[in-house]
């Protein structure tokens, strides 16, 4: 009963890969690709990255570069025409990408004896999938609708949201103290709803949140309210430093979800920080990953 579920997720990702190859001259944003996969935008980029080792944006970029190199090696079309046909803004943008990622000019690529595409590598590296699936055993729980007091920061640096996270939580704590709601805080959580456009995405959001018990008071400046919808959640516990959380997320979306028989709900997954990093060593940090399921 489980194998068809796994195939359905892989088939969706394959549909996206085929769509990218046929529409490189289109914008191909995360929302469009999520629609092709018939998946929630909150989960699509995580599933794609877990199964391919690349974010959707990284995959699209590498596909464009690969097609551009192929066109340069096989023909004499001007670089501007090739650039536009594979989705770059123009010849200068493609030339800059070639120099940055391959260290070559278009003329050098045309005359190269070795295919420069061999030098194209992804921006991130995931560990290889093990032959046997890990024994992931989440707790399945049902929660009521929850109101979350939030502070949002933007900016991804070197594939890391650490700076944005620290800023968001500092602003959230200051605002919550000014609102005098700290006694009502049930738990500290975080949400990252956006599909990253690359390792340095200045617009990717990190949302720090406090789940508040009872009615939400008037908001302090710079804070906003999000609602976590009622429903079922698969909860996975991660023990260790925050820098290794991505491994847990990858394992959940790559290994557990395709075999679980569960359907993902159209809601944001989130992290619950169970203990305080100011009080315990990094290897003792406990983080619960909440995945919304039907």
């Amino acid at each position: 009963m489980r194998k068809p579920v796994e195939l359905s997720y892989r088939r969706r990702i394959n549909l996206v890969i085929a769509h990218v190859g046929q529409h490189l001259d289109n914008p191909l944003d995360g929302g469009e690709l999520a629609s092709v996969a018939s998946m929630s935008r909150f989960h699509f980029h995580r599933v794609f990255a877990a199964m391919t080792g690349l974010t959707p944006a990284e995959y699209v970029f590498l596909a464009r570069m690969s097609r551009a190199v192929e066109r340069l090696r096989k023909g004499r079309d001007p670089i501007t025409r090739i650039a536009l046909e594979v989705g770059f803004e123009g010849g200068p943008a493609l030339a800059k990408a070639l120099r940055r990622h391959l260290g070559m000019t278009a003329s050098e690529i045309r005359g190269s004896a070795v295919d420069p595409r061999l030098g194209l590598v992804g921006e991130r590296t995931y560990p290889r999938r093990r032959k046997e699936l890990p024994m992931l055993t989440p707790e399945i729980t049902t929660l009521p609708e929850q109101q979350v007091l939030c502070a949002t920061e933007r900016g991804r640096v070197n594939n890391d949201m650490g700076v944005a996270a620290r800023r968001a939580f500092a602003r959230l704590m200051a605002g919550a103290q000014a609102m005098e709601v700290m006694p009502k805080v049930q738990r500290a959580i975080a949400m990252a709803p956006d599909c990253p456009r690359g390792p340095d995405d200045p617009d990717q959001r990190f949302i720090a949140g406090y789940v508040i018990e009872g009615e939400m008071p008037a908001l302090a400046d710079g804070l906003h309210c999000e609602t976590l919808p009622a429903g079922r959640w698969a909860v996975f516990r991660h023990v260790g430093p925050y820098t290794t959380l991505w491994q847990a997320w990858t394992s959940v979306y790559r290994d557990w979800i395709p075999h679980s028989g569960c359907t993902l709900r159209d809601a944001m997954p989130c992290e619950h920080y169970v203990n305080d990093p100011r009080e315990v060593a990094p290897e003792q940090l406990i983080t619960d990953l909440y995945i919304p399921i039907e």
Side-chain angles (χ1 to χ4, degrees):
M1 293 294 293
R2 293 182 174 182
K3 191 65 174 178
V5 178
E6 179 186 19
L7 289 176
S8 70
Y9 279 99
R10 294 192 179 282
R11 189 176 297 117
R12 294 180 194 189
I13 299 305
N14 287 337
L15 286 173
V16 171
I17 289 173
H19 181 84
V20 169
Q22 296 165 6
H23 299 87
L24 285 176
D25 57 336
N26 290 346
L28 295 174
D29 59 41
E32 176 189 346
L33 298 182
S35 296
V36 172
S38 299
M39 294 179 63
S40 164
R41 60 191 175 90
F42 296 127
H43 303 289
F44 164 69
H45 68 278
R46 292 179 169 90
V47 172
F48 188 96
M51 290 189 173
T52 67
L54 297 167
T55 67
E58 289 166 351
Y59 180 83
V60 169
F61 174 78
L62 292 176
R64 285 175 169 150
M65 286 283 286
S66 180
R67 184 72 60 80
V69 169
E70 179 184 18
R71 291 286 311 280
L72 286 167
R73 285 171 59 81
K74 288 186 175 180
R76 309 305 299 176
D77 288 340
I79 187 173
T80 297
R81 179 185 298 175
I82 293 173
L84 295 175
E85 288 180 356
V86 302
F88 285 91
E89 293 181 356
L94 174 56
K96 180 179 179 181
L98 295 173
R99 288 194 300 271
R100 178 176 179 182
H101 292 271
L102 294 175
M104 302 176 73
T105 66
S107 297
E108 289 170 336
I109 288 173
R110 291 188 197 273
S112 175
V114 178
D115 193 335
R117 284 175 292 181
L118 298 175
L120 287 174
V121 294
E123 297 287 356
R124 87 173 47 164
T125 302
Y126 287 116
R128 291 182 178 179
R129 180 171 179 164
R130 289 178 283 183
K131 292 183 179 179
E132 295 184 0
L133 292 173
M135 296 298 292
L136 298 174
T137 54
E139 175 188 353
I140 306 299
T141 186
T142 300
L143 297 175
E145 181 178 281
Q146 301 169 87
Q147 298 300 308
V148 187
L149 180 67
C150 298
T152 298
E153 287 287 336
R154 298 175 184 267
R156 184 183 183 101
V157 180
N158 294 326
N159 218 13
D160 182 19
M161 290 294 285
V163 174
R166 289 189 289 273
R167 290 176 178 172
F169 272 109
R171 193 152 53 82
L172 176 64
M173 179 176 290
Q177 290 172 340
M179 294 167 59
E180 300 182 345
V181 296
M182 290 302 293
K184 295 183 177 182
V185 174
Q186 295 182 314
R187 53 197 177 105
I189 69 171
M191 297 167 280
D194 303 320
C195 175
R197 295 179 297 179
D200 301 311
D201 184 354
D203 297 319
Q204 187 182 3
R205 291 174 294 168
F206 180 95
I207 304 175
Y210 287 151
V211 176
I212 301 295
E213 181 181 13
E215 216 172 296
M216 185 73 69
L219 300 177
D221 289 344
L223 302 187
H224 62 282
C225 181
E226 296 278 352
T227 299
L228 289 180
R232 297 175 72 226
W233 301 79
V235 185
F236 298 83
R237 175 149 292 189
H238 173 270
V239 180
Y242 296 148
T243 53
T244 61
L245 273 169
W246 67 271
Q247 296 174 336
W249 282 107
T250 298
S251 181
V252 169
Y253 277 94
R254 182 193 62 200
D255 300 330
W256 183 80
I257 287 174
H259 292 77
S260 67
C262 295
T263 301
L264 295 167
R265 280 193 292 129
D266 188 23
M268 279 191 284
C270 60
E271 298 172 350
H272 168 209
Y273 304 114
V274 178
N275 50 9
D276 193 327
R278 296 169 298 184
E279 299 175 356
V280 300
E283 59 271 15
Q284 297 175 320
L285 289 170
I286 299 174
T287 308
D288 287 341
L289 312 185
Y290 279 72
I291 313 294
I293 58 174
E294 297 290 351

